[in-house]
Amino acid sequence: MTSSEAYREKLDSFASQQNTLQMRLFWLIFLTIEGMTIASALMMTFENTSWVDIATRWLCVVAFLAFMLSAKRTKRYEQSYMAMCLLFNCVLLPVNYFASGGLSGAIPLHYLIGLFMCSFVMSSKQKLFSFLTSLTVMLGSVVVGLLCPEYVRPTNSLTGSANLIFSLIVVSSALNMVTSLVMREHRSHIRREINNGIIDVLSTVVESRSAEAGDHVMRIKGYTRLLLEQVNDVYGINLTLDEKEIVYSASAMHDVGKIAIPDSVLLKPGRFTPEEFEIMKKHTIFGCDIISSMKDIQDKRYYEYCYNICRYHHERYDGKGYPEGLVGDEIPLMAQIVSLADVYDALINSRCYKKAISLDKAYEMIVNGECGAFSPKLLECFRRARSKMEEFAREPFVNPLEAKMNQHMQAKLDNKENTD
């Protein structure tokens, strides 16, 4: 297996595993609702109630299983969850409502939980659509039950007790989901702060050794963020705000491997010899070794993005990059984005071996392929983000960690003066 195939396999595995909040909520809600429906169907079957009620429940059981298989196969959890929510609220609950005593049964509590379900997993538009549809069906069922009481069948003690138990199960599951959500977000926030702190420290250490300007990492992060704003529209993907923030932060780790490059090479004024360039190219591998050593203390998504950006940000779309000579979309998209940001920053700022060039000239060189090949779609992102990137490039920056250190030193000096 080649390295690119191994990477694809790792990426596919990462995308398919069910450890994200969205997937976990889907499976938790699905299992709760499916279990409740199966229990209700069995109860109605043994009670010899109307065959319509029995058939409806078993059809819902089959439909929920179909949604589960569809979600597992396509990974389209939002759409599958929306279909499950509508089936539960618009079919199963009205049937239960009329077959279990209407307002006198426990079904109204089911309806509240049904509406509560609309707050999870789906996109904002899907949530609104599902909520309004479910609310309309719920109110319609209540109105029909009040105006036409003959449609409502009195519930027996067994059915009423079962409905109450099912309602409590759903309420308990919903509360557990909310608790899990809050706790997970809290842990994610703490871990994100730790990751950002690690990244800031390492990137500052790299810059302190490098001959590049001290705000290089801050500019790379800024250009990366501006390019990410265009990615969803150009590539037709659904990169979430949280993922964009992770990529934005992880971009600071692109050159962390330079810590391991000898000063004689890293700080050399002028261009590298072929031998020195081979040493410099190893910073991508060294960086991955550093990131891998911190794997256990990093969030999994942070680790994946940091690793891929560090290893592949010098690959080129035409296969002429390093360290592996990947071609085209074999290169991770986020590494491609950071690569363009890195090239752009290198062009418009002075280096020990070159002078800075104008923003217009840098743009033309990248678009015309004078600085290596980039994806046509990525170049379209660059075109769309050009004005904001140029505006960003003109702004002065201060490393936040460096600013905190200076502030701390100033506070100590002020304190000493006051003491004296």
Side-chain angles (χ1 to χ4, degrees):
M1 179 182 295
T2 65
S3 58
S4 60
E5 290 173 342
Y7 166 74
R8 283 184 172 180
E9 183 176 322
K10 181 189 291 187
L11 187 61
D12 290 341
S13 174
F14 174 68
S16 65
Q17 58 189 318
Q18 297 169 6
N19 65 342
T20 64
L21 178 61
Q22 183 188 68
M23 295 177 188
R24 287 191 174 187
L25 284 177
F26 175 86
W27 292 118
L28 181 58
I29 297 174
F30 164 77
L31 291 174
T32 302
I33 301 304
E34 178 72 339
M36 187 185 75
T37 308
I38 291 175
S40 176
L42 289 172
M43 181 187 67
M44 290 295 180
T45 301
F46 291 128
E47 282 190 345
N48 295 319
T49 54
S50 167
W51 68 269
V52 175
D53 293 339
I54 297 173
T56 301
R57 283 164 173 76
W58 283 111
L59 285 174
C60 287
V61 170
V62 174
F64 287 144
L65 286 173
F67 295 149
M68 179 271 291
L69 293 173
S70 174
K72 186 175 182 180
R73 184 179 67 255
T74 64
K75 311 301 179 190
R76 300 177 69 177
Y77 289 92
E78 288 183 11
Q79 292 80 356
S80 298
Y81 181 80
M82 181 179 179
M84 183 180 72
C85 188
L86 290 175
L87 178 65
F88 180 79
N89 288 336
C90 300
V91 178
L92 189 59
L93 287 183
V95 170
N96 281 349
Y97 179 81
F98 290 107
S100 303
L103 290 174
S104 63
I107 296 303
L109 185 57
H110 276 52
Y111 271 125
L112 294 178
I113 299 304
L115 295 177
F116 187 66
M117 285 169 55
C118 296
S119 65
F120 292 106
V121 176
M122 296 179 286
S123 64
S124 299
K125 291 182 179 179
Q126 290 172 333
K127 289 176 184 177
L128 180 62
F129 175 79
S130 298
F131 180 84
L132 293 178
T133 303
S134 302
L135 185 63
T136 301
V137 173
M138 179 188 76
L139 294 177
S141 299
V142 173
V143 170
V144 171
L146 292 175
L147 296 178
C148 305
E150 65 273 15
Y151 293 152
V152 180
R153 293 187 290 278
T155 181
N156 57 41
S157 58
L158 178 60
T159 302
S161 298
N163 280 330
L164 181 58
I165 292 172
F166 293 155
S167 296
L168 292 175
I169 291 174
V170 176
V171 170
S172 176
S173 299
L175 291 175
N176 283 331
M177 282 187 289
V178 172
T179 303
S180 298
L181 174 62
V182 172
M183 293 301 294
R184 184 184 179 92
E185 286 300 312
H186 179 65
R187 289 194 298 268
S188 296
H189 175 74
I190 293 176
R191 181 163 285 188
R192 188 176 296 116
E193 290 297 319
I194 293 173
N195 287 329
N196 287 338
I198 292 172
I199 287 172
D200 285 342
V201 169
L202 286 174
S203 59
T204 301
V205 171
V206 172
E207 286 187 344
S208 69
R209 289 197 62 232
S210 175
E212 297 172 351
D215 56 2
H216 170 68
V217 168
M218 292 296 296
R219 292 196 303 267
I220 293 299
K221 291 171 70 174
Y223 300 139
T224 298
R225 171 173 276 173
L226 294 173
L227 290 169
L228 285 170
E229 290 178 358
Q230 310 298 327
V231 164
N232 284 354
D233 290 338
V234 175
Y235 282 84
I237 59 178
N238 186 27
L239 196 67
T240 66
L241 181 61
D242 186 51
E243 288 175 310
K244 290 178 182 178
E245 286 299 313
I246 293 175
V247 175
Y248 161 77
S249 181
S251 66
M253 296 287 278
H254 68 289
D255 277 342
V256 68
K258 287 184 178 179
I259 293 175
I261 300 297
D263 288 346
S264 59
V265 175
L266 185 64
L267 304 180
K268 178 186 176 181
R271 294 189 175 276
F272 297 129
T273 65
E275 293 77 15
E276 291 169 338
F277 186 55
E278 288 300 317
I279 295 174
M280 177 57 77
K281 288 198 296 185
K282 292 181 180 178
H283 80 274
T284 56
I285 308 300
F286 294 153
C288 290
D289 293 339
I290 294 171
I291 293 170
S292 295
S293 68
M294 301 185 297
K295 183 176 182 179
D296 293 338
I297 62 174
Q298 294 186 80
D299 177 84
K300 187 173 181 63
R301 287 187 299 170
Y302 259 98
Y303 170 75
E304 291 282 343
Y305 283 128
C306 286
Y307 187 94
N308 291 335
I309 288 171
C310 181
R311 188 176 188 89
Y312 302 114
H313 73 281
H314 280 295
E315 299 286 357
R316 291 291 177 262
Y317 204 70
D318 56 7
K320 296 181 180 180
Y322 63 87
E324 298 178 16
L326 301 184
V327 180
D329 291 331
E330 290 180 347
I331 308 168
L333 175 58
M334 303 311 155
Q336 294 185 48
I337 292 171
V338 175
S339 174
L340 193 151
D342 194 26
V343 169
Y344 184 70
D345 185 66
L347 289 173
I348 63 176
N349 288 282
S350 299
R351 294 288 188 266
C352 58
Y353 55 85
K354 60 172 282 296
K355 294 182 179 180
I357 63 174
S358 69
L359 298 176
D360 290 338
K361 179 63 175 176
Y363 173 81
E364 294 298 329
M365 289 178 67
I366 292 175
V367 170
N368 294 333
E370 296 178 46
C371 303
F374 291 99
S375 159
K377 288 185 177 180
L378 182 56
L379 290 177
E380 178 59 26
C381 293
F382 184 45
R383 292 187 183 94
R384 296 187 182 194
R386 178 185 180 182
S387 60
K388 290 185 177 181
M389 290 178 69
E390 291 180 350
E391 180 181 350
F392 184 86
R394 297 186 182 100
E395 296 178 0
F397 290 97
V398 177
N399 187 309
L401 185 63
E402 188 176 318
K404 288 182 180 179
M405 292 174 62
N406 292 338
Q407 185 178 5
H408 179 67
M409 291 298 296
Q410 186 61 46
K412 290 184 69 175
L413 289 174
D414 294 342
N415 199 28
K416 184 178 179 182
E417 290 178 0
N418 293 333
T419 302
D420 294 341

